[in-house]
Amino acid sequence: MRMFTRSLKAQFIEAFTLLILLSSCFLAAITGREASSEARYERGLLLTNRVQSLAKALDQSMWFWIKEVDTLRHTIGLIGGDMDKVATAVNRLQDTMPAFAWIGLMNPKGKVLASTDGVLQGTDLSICAIFRQGKNGLFVGDVRKATLLAQLLPHPENTPLKFVDISMPIGEGELKDWVLVAHLSWTWAREVEEFILSGEGSDTGTKIMVLGADGSVILGGGNDAQPLSLPLLQRLEDADSAWAVEPWPDGISYLTAAVRCTGFKDYDGLQWSVVARQSLDTAYAPVRKLVSRILVAGLVLAALFALVAGYTARKVIAPLKALTLAADKLSKGERVTIPRNEGILEIEVLSSSLSTLVENLTRAEKDRNRIQYAAERDSLTGLLNRHGLAARLDESMPELQLNHGVVELLYMDLDGFKPVNDTYGHHVGDAVLTILGQRLSGCLRKEDVLVRLGGDEFLALLSHRDSTPDIMRTVRRIRETVGSPIATDGLLLHIGISIGHATWHCTEEPVEEALKRADNALYIAKRSTKV
């Protein structure tokens, strides 16, 4: 059983809307997948370029600081043993470049004889690696904490002081065995980082770290940063840079890029690594925006297509609706004219075919009625014949049996008709039969039935359905009416009638038994008339 029925227009709109929505979702899914892959690739390259920029800036800066120390070394070599002038030179360099937290000149035994602001002057640092390594040539030490200097130097920040050590022998003049030492404050690396992060393409979803050779976080990790171990870092053993989507120690996957610091010119570098991570939300934000726009465009298109579908459906359905109404009226037996529609070939063909079908059915119905009428009606008088009587009885039998129906039968035969027919000819006899058929019909009620059984025999069926017929009165009226003179073809003729009566109880006996009784009654009536 159908739970509900929707109009063709509604189905038309739903189909168009669903098609556009599914197409939009499919397009958004395909585009999102392809765009995500493309965005991941582009963001990976962009992130790699940023960490490469920071690594390059760190290496170039370190090379620059080394050259500054080297220039100071040549100056001290020219100054010679005048420690006051050496102190002036080192202080001037610090004033010019504050990134140098401390600069000192050590004699061959490791004692500091000149330094910036006199810090550690006179202190024996011979046990320090910076002195021992610096005696043999250029030494650049990795980032470290300097507890002693942190106590002696101004330090407004809360984070521990970190330095990069640079030392080298004077190598010329009277001070050639002396060692020049510089502690480069790690704050310059933060300045480089801030410069890189504030550049084009920067965002708050990106974090950059600098790792030492042992994987320890020396920049960007906070005070409690733990050594970082990522699978991506292992790939730097075979390549200078790499990027991938990797899980971090916090359990979240990030787009990650890493670059190895390889030095600059004659500076070989300290094997630092620069690592940057970017949240996937930030990396895929343009993709999500694109997908959202596609879905919004899909919704807009769906609404527009729904309007178009509604308009189109109205154009298509209007003639179909007219045909449907016509067909509905036709099914109820009403006479209709099938509307002709033009503009849509299929509907035009349908309306033409339906119109032709209705015409054929109407013609066939008329032919059937005509044939049925001819089969059930007497061709001369127009009264029912034996076949018509049988059809009428079959049609009314259910109602008669339901109501315990009683029918009065009057079996009638004309008296004196045969001599008239033999004397004046069949055309006069036919005229007499026609006139008498009309007279007999006028003697009966509207609900009664009159049948010409053949020749000059007639049968009347008087029903009790609406009222009880007065049989004797009806018989007298028939005899009086039939007995009246008949004027036809210039003749004035007199015809009589004999009537046999029987009552038919339709639920108790077949009609044939009642007809036999009525026929016997007619026979008796005709004999009594002759006597």
Side-chain angles (χ1 to χ4, degrees), residues 311-360:
Y311 175 77
T312 304
R314 207 162 41 243
K315 296 286 288 185
V316 173
I317 292 171
L320 286 178
K321 187 175 182 180
L323 291 175
T324 303
L325 292 175
D328 184 59
K329 291 181 180 179
L330 187 64
S331 67
K332 295 177 182 178
E334 301 180 20
R335 292 187 176 276
V336 296
T337 301
I338 301 298
R340 297 280 184 171
N341 295 282
E342 298 180 355
I344 301 178
L345 179 60
E346 289 77 5
I347 296 180
E348 184 178 346
V349 172
L350 176 62
S351 61
S352 177
S353 299
L354 285 177
S355 180
T356 302
L357 178 61
V358 170
E359 291 175 0
N360 292 338

Side-chain angles (χ1 to χ4, degrees), residues 171-203:
E172 59 185 20
E174 60 181 289
L175 303 179
K176 66 177 182 177
D177 294 326
W178 291 45
V179 177
L180 180 63
V181 178
H183 288 311
L184 183 63
S185 174
W186 190 235
T187 55
W188 66 267
R190 293 198 189 95
E191 294 173 357
V192 173
E193 178 193 29
E194 292 174 359
F195 175 76
I196 297 296
L197 289 177
S198 64
E200 185 178 357
S202 61
D203 52 71

